[in-house]
Amino acid sequence: QVQLVESGGGLVQAGGSLRLSCAASGRTFSSYTMGWFRQAPGKEREFVAAINWSGRNTYYADSVKGRFTISRDNFKNTDLQMSSLKPEDTAVYYCAADRTTAQGMSVTEPDYWGQGTQVTVSS
């Protein structure tokens, strides 16, 4: 069982940066691939980025590649560093965990989800 709690959302101007954090609880955190998804108003939830259990493999959606960086530590934290933010990045961002590959998380429904944190980018 894995429980996830996101933090770090907020309001930022276009071109700015924001760092999201996900704190996981549970003994088997280190064996899970961790990822971030987002859902904008009126749109379906979409994959953003994922990092495998070892931290060696990452995978990004094309829309954020080169602007967002996902990382994790050996304890229970997974971060998403977001730079060069655009108004279209505005969404609720969700942390997720699953026993799959980083690329696999982009096409599967993760087993565990956080409650989400709001990110708003003003133009």
Side-chain angles (χ1 to χ4, degrees), residues 48 59-67:
V48 175
Y59 190 74
Y60 296 91
D62 287 343
S63 58
V64 306
K65 204 172 293 184
R67 300 189 299 122

Side-chain angles (χ1 to χ4, degrees), residues 33-35 37 47-53 56-62 65 70 98-110:
T33 286
M34 302 298 296
F37 290 72
F47 169 81
V48 175
I51 186 166
N52 79 327
W53 66 274
R56 294 194 186 101
N57 293 317
T58 58
Y59 190 74
Y60 296 91
D62 287 343
K65 204 172 293 184
I70 189 170
D98 195 76
R99 294 185 185 272
T100 182
T101 63
Q103 187 170 356
M105 184 168 270
S106 69
V107 294
T108 59
E109 180 76 8

